[in-house]
Amino acid sequence: MRGFLLAGLALATAAKADITVGIDLATTGPAAAIGIPSKNVVMMWPPTLGGQKASYIILDDASDPTNTVTNVRKLTSEQHIDVLVGPNTTPAALAVLDVIAESRTPMVALAANASIIEPHADAKRKWAFKMPQNDSLMASAIVGHMARAGVKTVGFIGFNDSYGESWWNEFSPLAQKAGIKVVANERYNRTDTSVTGQVLKLMVAKPDAILVAASSTPALLPQKTLVDRGYRGKLYQTHGIATPEFLRLGGKAVEGTLFPTGPGVVAHGLPASHPVKKVATEFVDRYEAKFGAGSVTQFAGDAWGAWMLLDDAVGRALKKGAKPGTPEFRAALRDAIESTTNLTVPNGVLNISASDHQGFDERSRVMGIVRDGKFAYEGEGKSR
């Protein structure tokens, strides 16, 4: 739960800043490969939001939702933040829904599961928004690709938590509708060191393809085990894998992996006509100039998109006349986020509404492939 105030960026202390942003990230623990790129981007955030000075307070939850709750309670009760950015894992984001509702603090989560924002009529989710694409949008891209590739049978292995369950609930009915039979359904824990039993069951079913519904480096375990055991079918992963660590640790075992992703991950490979290419490539170039070629991730793009979203929304919220640091301003900021229209960020175009607290459409996804040890553009990811 280590944290610090980015006073150098904000040019102000939390007590004096016009806008105070709390950021909860998993920069240590199993989800660190997701959290560290997000933190890198926060360190790049401009010192203003909506033309006003801002301070950014980062806390590490060590990939533990219990820590997340403690962090967010501290940020809301002691620092009186105007908005929360993060957490970046689904279990952590779900764990703090009560806290943000009680404190009436808008949250822009960096985690993907739609349960963070749905059902939209739920009172506590009134304050919850998120940057990553909904699993349903990404799952339909995978199913469309499988159908075009002639896949008839598929095996599924996912995290034994809300991430894996969400993917199963989204993917399995779409596969069935497309005439693709799911012949195996397995689960594993993020901290497991072996999935041999699950992989043997998958291989006995002899599917044409297998989807691994996991994220970050723990997504490697099933894939490497499948490859080591001689599986030769198509291997699909979710958009949660797009980190340099996945490529570095996966090596040859991940070559040819197919996955849906935000445009930012494969920005330079996008066709010139893609509506997000300009914003995506500008961000990628800026990020990689600082952190090295090939270092950009889906999560980095989401974190930059969060700043762009808040910069746009804060400017509109300030026009309502409420003072930052007050319940009235937090409510105005929530309303402004909810009325975001046609805002292009590195991973898509946002149109947020009362019935959609994510706001992306098909412009936010493409199909990627691991080619020659790099994430490359494979296609538009359009549904069949």
Side-chain angles (χ1 to χ4, degrees), residues 66-319:
T66 302
N67 293 339
T68 308
V69 173
T70 301
N71 286 350
V72 175
R73 286 199 182 280
K74 180 177 180 179
L75 290 167
T76 55
S77 65
E78 297 179 17
Q79 300 294 340
H80 305 292
I81 60 172
D82 294 300
V83 62
L84 172 70
V85 173
N88 57 346
T89 66
T90 294
L94 293 174
V96 297
L97 286 176
D98 287 332
V99 182
I100 64 168
E102 291 167 5
S103 62
R104 300 175 69 83
T105 303
M107 172 180 73
V108 180
L110 301 177
N113 197 304
S115 62
I116 298 166
I117 58 172
E118 296 175 358
H120 58 80
D122 180 50
K124 60 188 176 184
R125 287 172 170 83
K126 173 182 178 180
W127 297 91
F129 302 86
K130 70 183 186 73
M131 292 305 302
Q133 300 88 338
N134 286 339
D135 295 341
S136 58
L137 193 65
M138 296 309 218
S140 64
I142 290 177
V143 170
H145 189 280
M146 287 181 174
R148 293 190 299 275
V151 171
K152 300 299 182 184
T153 58
V154 63
F156 179 97
I157 179 168
F159 281 153
N160 189 29
D161 62 19
S162 52
Y163 189 92
E165 190 63 18
S166 174
W167 265 91
W168 170 253
N169 291 337
E170 297 293 351
F171 173 77
S172 56
L174 288 173
Q176 181 179 8
K177 185 177 180 180
I180 301 170
K181 184 178 181 181
V182 183
V183 295
N185 176 13
E186 299 293 329
R187 295 287 194 278
Y188 73 107
N189 296 314
R190 293 173 187 248
T191 55
D192 284 350
T193 58
S194 173
V195 290
T196 300
Q198 296 96 315
V199 163
L200 289 175
K201 291 178 183 178
L202 287 167
M203 294 187 68
V204 166
K206 298 181 179 179
D208 297 332
I210 292 174
L211 170 61
V212 180
S215 64
S216 191
T217 51
L220 285 168
L221 182 60
Q223 180 150 350
K224 293 185 79 171
T225 306
L226 283 160
V227 172
D228 288 346
R229 291 280 173 170
Y231 180 71
R232 295 291 179 265
K234 294 182 180 298
L235 286 166
Y236 289 81
Q237 292 265 4
T238 73
H239 55 310
I241 65 162
T243 68
E245 289 78 10
F246 182 86
L247 297 175
R248 178 174 57 84
L249 296 174
K252 292 183 179 179
V254 300
E255 192 71 15
T257 301
L258 295 154
F259 65 104
T261 187
V265 174
V266 293
H268 284 285
L270 296 174
S273 60
H274 196 285
V276 182
K277 179 160 185 163
K278 182 178 184 295
V279 171
T281 53
E282 287 175 353
F283 166 70
V284 170
D285 290 346
R286 184 173 183 176
Y287 185 89
E288 294 190 344
K290 189 173 181 67
F291 298 103
S295 60
V296 77
T297 69
Q298 163 92 28
F299 317 105
D302 287 337
W304 189 256
W307 180 85
M308 295 180 70
L309 172 63
L310 293 180
D311 184 54
D312 177 72
V314 165
R316 289 182 285 116
L318 287 169
K319 294 178 181 178

